Amino acid sequence: MSGENRKLSSNNGNLMNIFAVMYFDAHTHDVSAGRNSVIQSSRMPSMEGFFSVGIHPWQVENWSKEMETILSLAKKSNCVAIGETGLDKQVTKDLSDQQEAFVAQIHLSEDLELPLILHCVKSWPEVLEVRKRLNPKQKWIFHGFSKHGLAKEVLKENILLSFGKSLILEPHLGEILRLVPKDKILFETDNSGLPIERIYEKASEILGLEETHLEEIIALNFKQTFTKWHIG
Ligand SMILES: [Zn+2]
């Protein structure tokens, strides 16, 4: 079934939406994605859908100058998260710039009570150090999760794991997905170009769950995480 609302017949025979289970996408760079997605905005104030805004660790050169724009976008009613932000030791960007920008965005997430979408590549110890120091209360989503050895540690921190194309490309991830408590799972397309349905299909196969049941679980997780998201 496609991402449309399922329609059930009511007692009087009219078609109505009894429940709206859909394919929610926690992180995408596809700016034309629908309202069930959190679109990664790189400063697009006119965007109509729901979006997240932040400074990516690959783009931290002028982070302090950009914070004012980020703040004004983050206050918009359709901004549902801060990020993606975090640390990435695979790129040559100065790590202390990355750390400063990350810390500033954690404060923003706390101040505006918005969840934070985390980008973390080869830098979990550093991310953990910042997290322990700042002790944030808002939910964090580890996006594009694919690291076998990290799952337990990340879950211990009560961080949600968002799975994307790696679930399809890397068979070992199935084992991890099965270990993750159901209320800590989200799905995403990121910049893969894959339809989000493919991720759900693969996950339901891995978990041995009916796809409709899985959709319900993820819809609930999504709504409880992105609390500014709403229907209509
Ligand atoms: Zn991304």
Side-chain angles (χ1 to χ4, degrees):
M1 194 172 283
S2 76
E4 291 169 21
N5 297 359
R6 292 199 170 76
K7 291 185 170 150
L8 298 177
S9 290
S10 67
N11 292 339
N12 62 14
N14 292 329
L15 279 176
M16 59 182 285
N17 292 321
I18 304 294
F19 57 92
V21 177
M22 293 169 271
Y23 295 102
F24 285 92
D25 185 342
H27 178 71
T28 181
H29 292 257
D30 175 4
V31 293
S32 63
R35 292 177 66 84
N36 303 328
S37 306
V38 178
I39 299 169
Q40 177 63 43
S41 151
S42 26
R43 336 282 179 265
M44 282 172 292
S46 61
M47 187 179 288
E48 279 180 13
F50 294 103
F51 67 92
S52 60
V53 69
I55 301 169
H56 195 287
W58 299 352
Q59 293 153 350
V60 288
E61 294 85 357
N62 297 311
W63 74 268
S64 60
K65 287 198 193 99
E66 287 177 41
M67 281 308 283
E68 208 175 313
T69 314
I70 301 289
L71 174 64
S72 69
L73 289 173
K75 285 179 174 168
K76 287 184 173 276
S77 61
N78 53 339
C79 178
V80 297
I82 298 299
E84 58 191 287
T85 174
L87 303 175
D88 190 330
K89 290 212 295 203
Q90 215 163 28
V91 289
T92 52
K93 303 287 168 180
D94 185 85
L95 192 63
S96 58
D97 278 349
Q98 290 190 38
Q99 277 166 323
E100 285 171 18
F102 182 34
V103 166
Q105 290 173 89
I106 296 170
H107 286 306
L108 189 59
S109 144
E110 293 295 301
D111 291 348
L112 298 181
E113 300 185 342
L114 288 171
L116 181 139
I117 296 174
L118 175 68
H119 172 107
C120 171
V121 175
K122 297 194 186 307
S123 54
W124 174 248
E126 290 84 356
V127 165
L128 191 59
E129 186 276 318
V130 172
R131 185 173 165 86
K132 294 235 185 272
R133 181 156 47 87
L134 300 183
N135 192 23
K137 302 285 173 287
Q138 298 306 309
K139 289 188 178 171
W140 284 21
I141 303 106
F142 194 128
H143 107 82
F145 192 82
S146 66
K147 289 289 167 284
H148 197 283
L150 275 188
K152 282 195 181 135
E153 283 208 49
V154 175
L155 287 168
K156 221 194 290 169
E157 288 297 310
N158 217 16
I159 295 174
L160 288 105
L161 305 188
S162 179
F163 294 88
K165 70 164 191 275
S166 304
L167 208 55
I168 291 167
L169 300 178
E170 300 173 28
H172 76 274
L173 263 187
E175 210 179 295
I176 296 171
L177 183 65
R178 280 191 288 267
L179 283 176
V180 180
K182 301 284 181 293
D183 64 345
K184 290 286 178 287
I185 301 173
L186 288 168
F187 297 130
E188 66 177 54
T189 53
D190 198 11
N191 54 5
S192 67
L194 277 175
I196 189 70
E197 289 88 338
R198 286 281 310 280
I199 315 279
Y200 278 78
E201 200 179 86
K202 184 67 186 177
S204 75
E205 178 192 313
I206 292 167
L207 295 170
L209 279 178
E210 284 282 336
E211 212 177 297
T212 48
H213 184 202
L214 184 61
E215 285 172 42
E216 286 170 10
I217 293 169
I218 304 301
L220 184 66
N221 295 349
F222 184 98
K223 290 171 192 172
Q224 287 179 340
T225 302
F226 303 105
T227 53
K228 276 171 76 184
W229 182 93
H230 55 86
I231 294 171

